[in-house]
């Protein structure tokens, strides 16, 4: 398990979310969006990605997870086109 900001995160669940993000981008060719009219699964992925960005910006995202995100989804840090 990885400890992040004082609480534990399940690595298997984190891996599944990363795989879901990669699959989503592979299918739709874009990052997931969020909002009330967005599909709940897409909205959830967008929220997860936003959380990873916030953790990264405050220095709480582990180097291992940063590297895995960089390798799997190079555009994850911002709103750059895929």
């Amino acid at each position: 398990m990885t400890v992040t900001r004082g609480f534990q995160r399940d690595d298997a669940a984190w891996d599944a979310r990363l795989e879901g993000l990669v699959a989503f981008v592979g299918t739709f060719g874009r990052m997931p969006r969020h909002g009330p009219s967005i599909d709940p699964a897409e909205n959830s992925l967008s929220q997860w990605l936003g959380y990873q960005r916030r953790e990264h910006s405050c220095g709480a995202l582990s180097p291992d997870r940063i590297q895995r995100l960089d390798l799997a989804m190079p555009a994850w840090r911002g709103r750059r086109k895929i």
Side-chain angles (χ1 to χ4, degrees), residues 20-35:
L21 176 64
V22 170
F24 180 90
V25 171
T27 299
F28 297 101
R30 61 175 173 79
M31 291 295 198
R33 298 173 297 190
H34 68 278

Side-chain angles (χ1 to χ4, degrees), residues 24 30 32-46:
F24 180 90
R30 61 175 173 79
R33 298 173 297 190
H34 68 278
S37 63
I38 301 297
D39 173 75
E42 179 179 356
N43 196 39
S44 178
L45 271 178
S46 177

Side-chain angles (χ1 to χ4, degrees), residues 13-76:
W14 192 91
D15 290 340
R17 298 298 279 176
L18 178 57
E19 289 173 18
L21 176 64
V22 170
F24 180 90
V25 171
T27 299
F28 297 101
R30 61 175 173 79
M31 291 295 198
R33 298 173 297 190
H34 68 278
S37 63
I38 301 297
D39 173 75
E42 179 179 356
N43 196 39
S44 178
L45 271 178
S46 177
Q47 290 176 354
W48 178 84
L49 181 57
Y51 182 78
Q52 303 314 304
R53 289 172 175 156
R54 284 188 300 282
E55 290 286 289
H56 180 259
S57 71
C58 70
L61 191 61
S62 74
D64 176 60
R65 288 185 175 179
I66 293 168
Q67 181 181 22
R68 289 161 55 199
L69 276 161
D70 285 342
L71 290 172
M73 189 60 47
W76 76 274

